Amino acid sequence: MNALIHHKTPYTPSTIMRAMIRDNNMLLPAISRFNIAFGFGDATVAEVCRLNGVDTDTFLCVCNLLSGYVYDSSRISLDSLMGYLKRAHTAFLDILLPKIRHQLIEAINTGRASNEVSLLLIKFFDDYVEEVRRHMEHENKVIFGYVERLLTGTADDSFSFSTYSDSHEDTVEKLNELKDIFIYHYNQGDSARLSGVLLDIIICERDMLAHFDVESRLFIPAVEKLERELRRNRVASRDGGDASAEEHEGSLALLSEREKEIIRGIAQGKVNKEIADGLCISVHTVATHRRNISAKLDIHTTAGLTIFAIINHLVDVNDVTPV
């Protein structure tokens, strides 16, 4: 294979790792979060993954997603993906955010702002970090614990993963707000130090958005697929293999209340922005829910979701906009 990768060509097991990084050097954090040691020379992706005990399919899926290329999520190892997500949490909480806080304090101390304003800015950042910490520690303890039980074949009926999916909205907005406050409203003579902090905030913001993308596009669908398989196996075992009736009933049960509201909006002919405005959520969140709904139901068209909504009495047929 050539040393350079052609544009929009997905990475494969035979891709040279060096060429992959040259194609997208923003993959460096992802490589470290798979616990892959640097210094791999001209080895291929498959060779590096084998030497570091990393699942190649999962690694390639994440790297292709983060690079905007076509990715294959059909053979993801949930165990490998959870390890990646846990190490990402550690990077954010123990390395990236503390580094930004330290630099932020230094930048503010050299500025013209009063002590009161400086304290408010630091408190704003600390509140944000605490919010991120609660979110990620909940994932580490509750969500990943639940998935680990699923991987042993134990279906936990006391926990609804769709609830996690419903509440799983990104926490990047506050970081973006802090950046905008400094850029548009905070005045100081020497902005060189502050511009360095802002650059780190921008990089962290993009990194976190990519992290939530991996969770939304890869982790959540993979867990829900495993849940469906365990549920089907349990029903088939109990009913001697005839699980079709309960599978139909179970389709509606897979959806959170928020997802049902979004399906109603789709059936009523609303576009994503109209649905978002009506539910007081972001358009990005609506799009994420729609992807998750399609993955859960294996229905990928507006017409199909509309029919599903009518059959399952989520909307009255008279309220449906023809498609």
Side-chain angles (χ1 to χ4, degrees):
M1 178 172 185
N2 293 334
L4 294 176
I5 298 172
H6 296 297
H7 184 54
K8 293 188 178 179
T9 300
Y11 311 129
T12 68
S14 61
T15 298
I16 304 298
M17 282 283 281
R18 176 186 297 214
M20 189 174 74
I21 295 169
R22 198 174 296 163
D23 181 63
N24 180 10
N25 55 30
M26 293 304 293
L27 290 176
L28 286 171
I31 291 171
S32 68
R33 291 166 194 174
F34 273 103
N35 221 16
I36 290 176
F38 294 126
F40 34 69
D42 291 320
T44 65
V45 168
E47 291 168 342
V48 172
C49 287
R50 184 172 61 253
L51 287 172
N52 289 271
V54 173
D55 183 78
T56 304
D57 292 323
T58 306
F59 176 76
L60 283 170
C61 187
V62 169
C63 290
N64 278 315
L65 169 63
L66 296 181
S67 298
Y69 299 156
V70 175
Y71 58 89
D72 178 11
S73 60
S74 63
R75 295 192 293 178
I76 280 179
S77 162
L78 265 175
D79 189 52
S80 181
L81 188 59
M82 279 196 298
Y84 166 85
L85 294 174
K86 288 177 183 177
R87 284 185 284 273
H89 291 172
T90 299
F92 284 119
L93 297 177
D94 296 349
I95 301 172
L96 300 177
L97 293 173
K99 175 188 174 186
I100 290 174
R101 187 183 193 276
H102 176 75
Q103 293 176 329
L104 197 56
I105 291 173
E106 288 189 345
I108 290 175
N109 285 341
T110 61
R112 297 172 179 168
S114 66
N115 287 337
E116 290 78 9
V117 173
S118 297
L119 289 172
L120 283 173
L121 290 169
I122 295 300
K123 185 179 185 305
F124 186 100
F125 181 77
D126 287 346
D127 288 345
Y128 165 75
V129 172
E130 181 57 29
E131 182 180 324
V132 173
R133 184 176 298 280
R134 285 197 303 268
H135 173 85
M136 292 185 173
E137 288 181 349
H138 174 74
E139 288 185 354
N140 288 344
K141 182 178 179 180
V142 178
I143 304 303
F144 295 155
Y146 168 72
V147 176
E148 285 164 358
R149 293 193 296 276
L150 285 180
L151 289 170
T152 66
T154 304
D156 188 349
D157 292 329
S158 65
F159 182 86
S160 174
F161 189 75
S162 63
T163 303
Y164 162 71
S165 304
D166 184 48
S167 63
H168 183 255
E169 299 180 15
D170 70 61
T171 56
V172 177
E173 187 175 345
K174 282 190 178 179
L175 195 60
N176 187 54
E177 286 178 7
L178 179 66
K179 178 191 66 180
D180 286 348
I181 287 171
F182 280 110
I183 294 175
Y184 303 115
H185 307 291
Y186 183 79
N187 184 277
Q188 68 175 38
D190 181 10
S191 60
R193 189 186 297 270
L194 183 58
S195 66
V197 184
L198 292 174
L199 181 59
D200 281 343
I201 289 176
I202 290 169
I203 293 172
C204 185
E205 179 186 3
R206 292 177 180 175
D207 193 1
M208 200 166 287
L209 281 170
H211 174 75
F212 286 126
D213 224 20
V214 170
E215 290 185 322
S216 297
R217 292 175 180 260
L218 302 183
F219 180 65
I220 290 175
V223 174
E224 290 173 340
K225 178 183 177 183
L226 179 58
E227 282 183 321
R228 290 194 296 272
E229 290 173 353
L230 289 176
R231 190 175 288 113
R232 279 197 298 268
N233 291 341
R234 186 171 55 183
V235 172
S237 176
R238 186 186 67 200
D239 297 342
D242 184 12
S244 58
E246 187 155 334
E247 280 183 18
H248 175 72
E249 295 175 4
S251 295
L252 192 61
L254 287 173
L255 301 176
S256 68
E257 290 305 312
R258 177 69 84 203
E259 288 168 336
K260 291 175 187 176
E261 290 173 331
I262 287 173
I263 289 182
R264 290 189 189 98
I266 294 170
Q268 291 164 356
K270 297 178 181 178
V271 298
N272 283 5
K273 187 171 189 316
E274 291 174 314
I275 296 173
D277 291 344
L279 298 177
C280 298
I281 57 178
S282 69
V283 175
H284 173 77
T285 300
V286 173
T288 298
H289 280 310
R290 290 190 69 155
R291 286 195 300 268
N292 293 338
I293 289 166
S294 293
K296 289 180 181 183
L297 303 179
D298 199 22
I299 300 174
H300 303 277
T301 64
T302 298
L305 291 172
T306 300
I307 293 170
F308 177 88
I310 295 171
I311 291 174
N312 288 277
H313 309 293
L314 293 177
V315 292
D316 187 280
V317 66
N318 295 319
D319 296 329
V320 170
T321 299
V323 292

